[in-house]
Amino acid sequence: MSFINYASREINCKIVYYGPGLCGKTTNLQYVYQKTAPDAKGKMISLATETERTLFFDFLPLALGEIRGFKTRFHLYTVPGQVFYDASRKLILKGVDGVVFVADSQEERMDANLESLENLRFNLQEQGYDLDKLPFVVQYNKRDLPNAVPLEELQKELNPTKVPEFEACATTGEGVFETLKAVAKLILIDLKQGK
Ligand SMILES: Nc1nc2c(ncn2[C@@H]2O[C@H](COP(=O)(O)OP(=O)(O)OP(=O)(O)O)[C@@H](O)[C@H]2O)c(=O)[nH]1
Ligand SMILES: [Mg+2]
């Protein structure tokens, strides 16, 4: 449900990064921000606790070129992953056009990944969205850590429907733009089909 403004010839799309606490959602946005040219980005806004946990959301507006004379802007949001911020997560999902699920590859975070994925599906459903019909990609983050679960296991548990998936290390930026480009592409395909 991208917002098309005919007067200013702009298309605005909202991408939400979802996932359990500390999986690396904010780090994804920080990397994108660092690597994007000044004229293509707005201010990154982060509402965080003193210990850098996302309190409400991070927000990063990006201008990614033109489509048939319309400027396309992608608004990247992260949700707070901590379980008790569910009301904020619901609010941030409103008007979403595409979702990135960021999984934490560490063995001890498997339950948290599964819980967060279920929470995503439920919160979307509550607002009339179906995760299986939305532009959706999965990122397996923290692949650099020694306790990372083998890729096949993550795929089986977290991506049974086989949406586009990417291995990443958000701190070094590996896989970060690949993930973003993939979800942006899916959104643009939907747009073309007039969804
Ligand atoms: N080793 C490693 N550390 C990472 C990676 N990505 C993020 N981190 C670290 O993990 C910690 C949490 O990252 P955040 O980006 O704040 O996590 P978040 O998902 O935004 O967490 P919440 O805001 O609480 O939901 C930070 O110390 C990051 O530096 C990664 O790929 N590898
Ligand atoms: Mg965060």
Side-chain angles (χ1 to χ4, degrees), residues 19-30 51-55 58 78-82 85 89 102 104 106 140-145 168-174:
L22 298 178
C23 66
K25 302 175 291 294
T26 298
T27 311
N28 263 271
L29 259 65
Q30 285 168 340
T51 54
E52 299 292 307
R53 304 298 301 268
T54 300
L55 186 59
D58 304 298
T78 76
V79 298
Q82 294 184 84
Y85 291 135
R89 280 193 292 277
V102 181
D104 189 325
Q106 296 178 92
Y140 307 114
N141 192 33
K142 304 199 182 180
R143 295 309 295 161
D144 57 306
L145 293 178
C169 174
T171 38
T172 60
E174 212 185 308

Side-chain angles (χ1 to χ4, degrees), residues 40-56:
K41 69 189 175 193
K43 245 195 193 155
M44 177 162 167
I45 297 168
S46 289
L47 299 174
T49 65
E50 281 166 17
T51 54
E52 299 292 307
R53 304 298 301 268
T54 300
L55 186 59
F56 188 24

Side-chain angles (χ1 to χ4, degrees), residues 77-159:
Y77 287 81
T78 76
V79 298
Q82 294 184 84
V83 175
F84 46 86
Y85 291 135
D86 202 37
S88 304
R89 280 193 292 277
K90 286 182 194 198
L91 265 178
I92 292 157
L93 282 176
K94 281 190 190 301
V96 65
D97 295 301
V99 179
V100 175
F101 183 79
V102 181
D104 189 325
S105 294
Q106 296 178 92
E107 174 105 62
E108 61 269 31
R109 297 301 284 161
M110 273 316 280
D111 285 348
N113 287 329
L114 286 165
E115 191 183 336
S116 176
L117 189 57
E118 203 171 298
N119 175 256
L120 166 64
R121 202 171 267 286
F122 181 83
N123 282 343
L124 283 171
Q125 235 165 33
E126 229 184 42
Q127 300 183 43
Y129 298 101
D130 179 352
L131 182 59
D132 297 326
K133 294 191 180 134
L134 271 179
F136 176 47
V137 305
V138 175
Q139 180 188 79
Y140 307 114
N141 192 33
K142 304 199 182 180
R143 295 309 295 161
D144 57 306
L145 293 178
N147 51 344
V149 172
L151 185 62
E152 308 78 68
E153 198 176 314
L154 291 167
Q155 289 170 323
K156 202 172 86 199
E157 296 277 357
L158 302 173
N159 190 12

Side-chain angles (χ1 to χ4, degrees), residues 135-140 159 161-166 179 182-183 186:
F136 176 47
V137 305
V138 175
Q139 180 188 79
Y140 307 114
N159 190 12
T161 57
K162 299 197 167 58
V163 298
E165 56 190 4
F166 302 89
T179 306
V183 73
L186 291 177

